[in-house]
């Protein structure tokens, strides 16, 4: 199962003939190949969690790969691919009642791991395709991060390499359903300053790079 957030991100995966399997609760499911279903679940943690649970209940995928773009917290050029080994939710905060910042209620975890086998395979596919990539921590939250203050806070609290709005929610749903999960995120902006200009300019190309790596990986596994 491939899980995207936005139409602009999933676009490069679809052709005119790609069958739309169904739309449920605003989430569209497409058949990409006999053994691959992709879905476009919407932006943010709630949409992502809803789409992930629907995906699992409807199609019981062997694994879920989240594909998309991210804002960068390091000195990485736009277009760099980040393969997360861990995910956290930067806006989860019950510290006022004594919890550590980022603790996810119910599962009592701050960090959710990526499936190491999938992450290793993706790492090898990126290297073989000569795609500039690095491993790192992804911080997810319901904010398009664009201020230096927020960026500095997330980096110092979670040591994150990149930020986006869904992966850690998908990781949580996969974790409780025991579905292997990994993500590919390509940098579309620097999460500060002119984010809108960078994001609008680079989102499609960045999303196409992540889909390309996903397809290469799927081909290698077929
Ligand atoms: N996705 C891409 N860029 C982002 C940013 N700066 N903040 C949150 N999600 C993003």
């Amino acid at each position: 199962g491939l899980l995207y957030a936005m139409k602009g991100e999933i676009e490069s995966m679809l052709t005119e003939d790609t069958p739309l399997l169904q739309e449920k609760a605003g989430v569209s499911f497409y058949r990409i190949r006999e053994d691959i279903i992709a879905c476009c679940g919407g932006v943010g943690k709630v949409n992502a969690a809803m789409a992930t649970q629907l995906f699992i209940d409807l199609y019981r995928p062997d694994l879920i790969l989240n594909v998309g773009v991210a804002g960068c917290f390091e000195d990485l050029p736009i277009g760099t691919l980040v393969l997360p080994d861990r995910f956290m939710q930067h806006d989860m905060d019950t510290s006022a009642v004594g919890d550590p910042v980022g603790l996810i209620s119910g599962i009592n975890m701050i960090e959710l791991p990526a499936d190491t086998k999938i992450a290793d395979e993706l790492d090898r596919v990126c290297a073989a395709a000569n795609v500039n990539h690095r491993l790192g921590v992804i911080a997810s939250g319901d904010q398009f991060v664009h201020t230096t203050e927020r960026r500095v806070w997330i980096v110092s609290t979670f040591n994150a390499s990149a930020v986006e709005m869904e992966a850690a929610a998908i990781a949580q749903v996969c974790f409780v359903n025991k579905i292997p999960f990994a993500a590919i995120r390509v940098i579309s902006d620097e999460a500060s300053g002119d984010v809108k200009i960078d994001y609008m300019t680079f989102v499609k190309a960045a999303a196409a790079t992540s889909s390309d790596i996903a397809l290469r990986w799927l081909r290698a596994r077929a």
Side-chain angles (χ1 to χ4, degrees):
L2 302 178
L3 213 155
Y4 291 80
M6 295 180 308
K7 288 262 181 283
E9 289 176 318
I10 197 172
E11 230 166 47
S12 66
M13 203 47 115
L14 307 177
T15 69
E16 273 178 16
D17 304 325
T18 307
L20 172 67
L21 294 175
Q22 64 173 308
E23 255 179 39
K24 187 150 190 184
V27 182
S28 318
F29 292 91
Y30 300 91
R31 178 159 307 280
I32 303 295
R33 212 174 69 181
E34 199 189 317
D35 56 346
I36 306 171
I37 291 172
C39 110
C40 187
V43 173
K45 301 201 326 290
V46 173
N47 282 324
M50 196 172 73
T52 310
Q53 192 62 55
L54 269 177
F55 208 145
I56 293 169
D57 290 347
L58 290 171
Y59 299 107
R60 210 69 216 165
D62 297 331
L63 60 91
I64 288 185
L65 181 68
N66 173 225
V67 187
V69 299
C72 188
F73 284 159
E74 294 179 22
D75 196 13
L76 301 175
I78 286 173
T80 306
L81 190 145
V82 176
L83 284 179
D85 51 4
R86 283 166 292 148
F87 307 90
M88 45 249 303
Q89 298 177 9
H90 67 78
D91 55 356
M92 192 70 195
D93 184 358
T94 50
S95 59
V97 293
D99 294 332
V101 174
L103 187 80
I104 301 169
S105 178
I107 56 172
N108 268 355
M109 292 162 79
I110 297 176
E111 293 183 0
L112 289 144
D115 182 273
T116 44
K117 183 169 176 284
I118 305 173
D120 285 351
E121 287 173 8
L122 289 167
D123 190 17
R124 283 198 289 277
V125 169
C126 289
N130 252 330
V131 168
N132 190 11
H133 71 293
R134 55 152 297 145
L135 302 180
V137 173
I138 288 265
S140 309
D142 289 325
Q143 298 164 352
F144 199 98
V145 174
H146 64 104
T147 64
T148 308
E149 194 188 1
R150 186 69 189 162
R151 182 186 149 121
V152 166
W153 183 84
I154 297 173
V155 173
S156 62
T157 311
F158 298 109
N159 198 20
S161 303
V163 66
E164 43 72 278
M165 301 176 68
E166 296 86 20
I170 304 168
Q172 180 180 348
V173 177
C174 286
F175 179 81
V176 297
N177 285 276
K178 299 187 173 52
I179 303 282
F181 171 69
I184 303 174
R185 290 280 178 164
V186 172
I187 299 302
S188 59
D189 59 82
E190 290 174 351
S192 67
D194 285 335
V195 274
K196 191 170 171 195
I197 296 172
D198 283 351
Y199 180 78
M200 295 301 188
T201 311
F202 297 113
V203 63
K204 284 210 170 150
T209 305
S210 38
S211 286
D212 178 54
I213 292 299
L215 282 177
R216 283 172 192 259
W217 169 67
L218 289 162
R219 259 182 241 124
R221 295 183 103 231

